[in-house]
Amino acid sequence: MKNFIQLGFLFLTQIIFSQEIPKVVSVKIERLENFKSKYVTSRNVDVWLPENYSDSKKYAVLYMNDGQALFDSETTWNKQAWEVDDVLSKLIKENKIQDVIVVGIWNGGLTRHIDYFPQKPFESLNKQQQDSIYNANRSNGQSVFNSQKINSDNYLKFIVKELKPLIDEKYAVYTDQKHTFIAGSSMGGLISMYAICEYPKIFGGAVCMSTHWPGIFTLEKNPIPNAFFNYLKKHLPNPKNHKFYFDYGTATLDALYQTLQPKVDEIMKEKGFNSTNCKTQKFDGDDHSEKSWSKRFYIPMEFILKN
């Protein structure tokens, strides 16, 4: 676990070295380079367009966090990627999902943790608890937050108030909640959960893979999971027109989630979610990596984007 968390530090904080646009076959990626925002640090946004994309039809939109890890393993720090283009292209050809474009939002490198850490649950803690979280270190002694304050409310404003209007104007997409989704893994899963709860009129579905419910890297004396649970009890969107997908593995960092995700599942049921609008899956042996997420990415896509 220690070695993996040290390795994960690179994933959580390092900006991908390559600035090249990811290479994909028979489809297209357009880059919105160095997207300027008044809410968050500037970052690239990669927009994936499926084969035969046409302005004469309408597409759903899937916003995905950690955009630099989605498409091309040759451009990532660990030589792994979600292979989103391959998975979605196959599902579209098989008519298993609706037509969709992907908006891959790069993380901010050193700002990743503060951008993705749900803000309102954190602010529900008392000052002593907040200070303990802010002072948390990784197993290698590195600070989790690097003396920065949580900024996820602004990150969501960046998506909703700045990025989405541009995507709606530039591409042939549906703009309504029914066709707008958000997805991510680990901390990206947390912010996807937070996004649909904070903006239920914007997002109709959230994919939260290997959701990092601890928020930091230990469960010992950690008040954050309960803060997240209490937040969900009060802020879950209407189950009649929203969908959630959760999953987790059992190896490396995912091992921390085995006692936490079942508690989330109980809350979802209490709030009226059922198998038609909420799915959780456990994958024995899967670790906390793009390789694992890529292998099972088709499952949430078939659930959330069902044709």
Side-chain angles (χ1 to χ4, degrees):
M1 177 69 73
K2 179 178 179 181
N3 289 338
F4 181 80
I5 293 178
Q6 290 176 342
L7 181 63
F9 172 67
L10 295 174
F11 171 74
L12 294 170
T13 62
Q14 182 178 10
I15 295 180
I16 303 307
F17 293 119
S18 175
Q19 296 294 314
E20 295 180 3
I21 295 179
K23 296 179 177 64
V24 290
V25 179
S26 75
V27 293
K28 184 179 181 181
I29 288 181
E30 295 184 353
R31 173 160 296 171
L32 309 177
E33 191 163 359
N34 199 30
F35 192 100
K36 298 292 190 300
S37 169
K38 66 180 181 181
Y39 298 110
V40 294
T41 55
S42 301
R43 62 200 63 206
N44 292 336
V45 177
D46 289 337
V47 180
W48 176 84
L49 305 176
E51 187 175 1
N52 299 322
Y53 170 84
S54 170
D55 288 334
S56 65
K57 62 189 296 186
K58 294 285 189 180
Y59 296 79
V61 185
L62 176 63
Y63 291 88
M64 293 193 69
N65 301 292
D66 292 314
Q68 58 264 67
L70 300 180
F71 302 109
D72 184 2
S73 61
E74 292 302 311
T75 64
T76 65
W77 70 273
N78 62 355
K79 300 304 178 184
Q80 293 185 39
W82 288 56
E83 310 297 349
V84 164
D85 51 312
D86 293 338
V87 175
L88 292 182
S89 293
K90 184 174 185 291
L91 293 175
I92 291 173
K93 285 182 179 179
E94 294 174 350
N95 200 34
K96 291 183 177 179
I97 63 171
Q98 59 189 290
D99 291 321
V100 64
I101 73 169
V102 175
V103 180
I105 307 166
W106 284 41
N107 68 57
L110 290 176
T111 69
R112 181 179 186 268
H113 215 84
I114 63 168
D115 286 342
Y116 289 0
F117 198 113
Q119 192 162 336
K120 288 184 175 61
F122 175 82
E123 292 174 347
S124 72
L125 301 176
N126 62 45
K127 186 178 186 304
Q128 183 178 2
Q129 290 173 320
Q130 290 183 13
D131 288 344
S132 71
I133 298 301
Y134 271 139
N135 291 329
N137 290 326
R138 305 174 193 275
S139 61
N140 60 1
Q142 293 277 359
S143 169
V144 174
F145 292 93
N146 299 297
S147 300
Q148 301 178 95
K149 298 298 183 182
I150 290 170
N151 195 47
S152 55
D153 282 355
N154 276 334
Y155 178 71
L156 295 184
K157 288 178 183 177
F158 150 64
I159 296 175
V160 170
K161 297 180 181 295
E162 296 178 330
L163 182 57
K164 185 178 186 297
L166 185 147
I167 297 298
D168 291 349
E169 180 180 357
K170 183 177 175 63
Y171 298 98
V173 297
Y174 294 104
T175 62
D176 61 335
Q177 170 228 61
K178 183 180 178 182
H179 296 91
T180 305
F181 309 92
I182 189 164
S185 63
S186 192
M187 292 298 294
L190 272 183
I191 193 63
S192 298
M193 172 277 292
Y194 191 50
I196 194 173
C197 291
E198 288 293 294
Y199 291 94
K201 293 183 180 179
I202 298 293
F203 300 105
V207 172
C208 313
M209 302 178 74
S210 296
T211 314
H212 192 60
W213 297 113
I216 52 177
F217 296 92
T218 180
L219 294 179
E220 186 177 355
K221 297 180 180 178
N222 182 354
I224 281 297
N226 282 334
F228 289 154
F229 302 156
N230 290 332
Y231 172 83
L232 284 171
K233 291 175 183 178
K234 297 177 182 178
H235 296 281
L236 277 171
N238 192 332
K240 292 182 179 179
N241 55 0
H242 293 87
K243 279 187 173 185
F244 283 84
Y245 172 90
F246 300 103
D247 70 17
Y248 60 103
T250 59
T252 62
L253 197 57
D254 274 38
L256 292 178
Y257 312 148
Q258 294 188 74
T259 61
L260 302 178
Q261 185 60 52
K263 295 179 181 178
V264 174
D265 298 340
E266 292 177 9
I267 294 170
M268 302 302 289
K269 290 180 181 178
E270 290 172 3
K271 294 300 178 178
F273 285 87
N274 55 44
S275 60
T276 65
N277 49 31
C278 185
K279 175 180 282 194
T280 293
Q281 292 203 236
K282 176 181 178 181
F283 295 89
D284 288 316
D286 277 15
D287 64 7
H288 197 83
S289 69
E290 290 85 2
K291 183 177 179 181
S292 290
W293 302 321
S294 174
K295 181 177 67 175
R296 61 186 194 247
F297 183 57
Y298 75 95
I299 299 173
M301 291 299 95
E302 288 185 6
F303 181 66
I304 292 287
L305 296 171
K306 186 176 180 180
N307 208 346

